[in-house]
């Protein structure tokens, strides 16, 4: 009976892990330059609230003049008129603390900044 309980518990944990993995990509979203991209919990869908000092620390991932569509990303308009990339309606940002491609030091900052997936 104990063996059955252990096997059943293992199957439940495996199913939970698989369900979590299906909804959460392990790989962070990166810009063309290899730098990690982040989302901000205080943003509204398709609307950035990160300006001024916030935007200095967390530069928005802006759309270039000649940039076409990006797979899975949309363009949103910032209040200053600039266009910014978004993923599932969440505006995307870089973090000033990341110094090299692949750095992820901004994940979890203030409990409101998260790696985009």
């Amino acid at each position: 009976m104990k063996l059955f309980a252990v096997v059943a518990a293992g199957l439940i944990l495996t199913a939970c892990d698989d369900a979590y993995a299906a909804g959460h990509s392990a790989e962070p979203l990166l810009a063309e330059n290899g730098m990690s991209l982040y989302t901000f919990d205080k943003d509204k869908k398709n609307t950035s609230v990160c300006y001024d000092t916030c935007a200095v620390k967390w530069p928005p991932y802006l759309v270039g003049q000649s940039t076409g569509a990006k797979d899975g990303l949309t363009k949103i308009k910032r209040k200053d008129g600039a266009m910014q990339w978004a993923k599932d309606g969440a505006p995307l940002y870089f973090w000033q603390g990341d110094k090299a491609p692949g750095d992820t030091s901004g994940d979890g900052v203030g409990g409101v900044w998260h790696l985009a997936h």
Side-chain angles (χ1 to χ4, degrees):
M1 189 61 149
K2 287 182 185 178
L3 178 60
F4 175 76
V6 170
V7 170
L11 291 173
I12 290 169
L13 289 174
T14 300
C16 290
D17 288 345
D18 291 345
Y20 179 82
H24 295 84
S25 170
E27 295 296 316
L29 188 61
L30 305 174
E32 298 88 358
N33 61 3
M35 299 303 286
S36 298
L37 294 167
Y38 298 89
T39 59
F40 185 36
D41 287 347
K42 295 181 180 183
D43 282 340
K44 308 273 189 276
K45 186 169 184 164
N46 296 315
T47 304
S48 172
V49 299
C50 182
Y51 291 90
D52 305 317
T53 303
C54 177
V56 171
K57 293 179 181 179
W58 297 92
Y61 181 29
L62 298 176
V63 176
Q65 292 295 334
S66 62
T67 305
K70 293 192 182 299
D71 193 31
L73 301 184
T74 57
K75 299 173 187 178
I76 62 167
K77 192 170 194 173
R78 294 175 56 80
K79 71 179 183 181
D80 59 8
M83 297 299 289
Q84 181 176 0
W85 290 110
K87 170 81 171 162
D88 299 326
L92 297 171
Y93 305 87
F94 297 102
W95 165 234
Q96 71 173 1
D98 287 348
K99 302 302 181 197
D103 284 354
T104 58
S105 66
D107 192 30
V109 169
V112 294
W113 291 95
H114 310 282
L115 279 169
H117 295 279

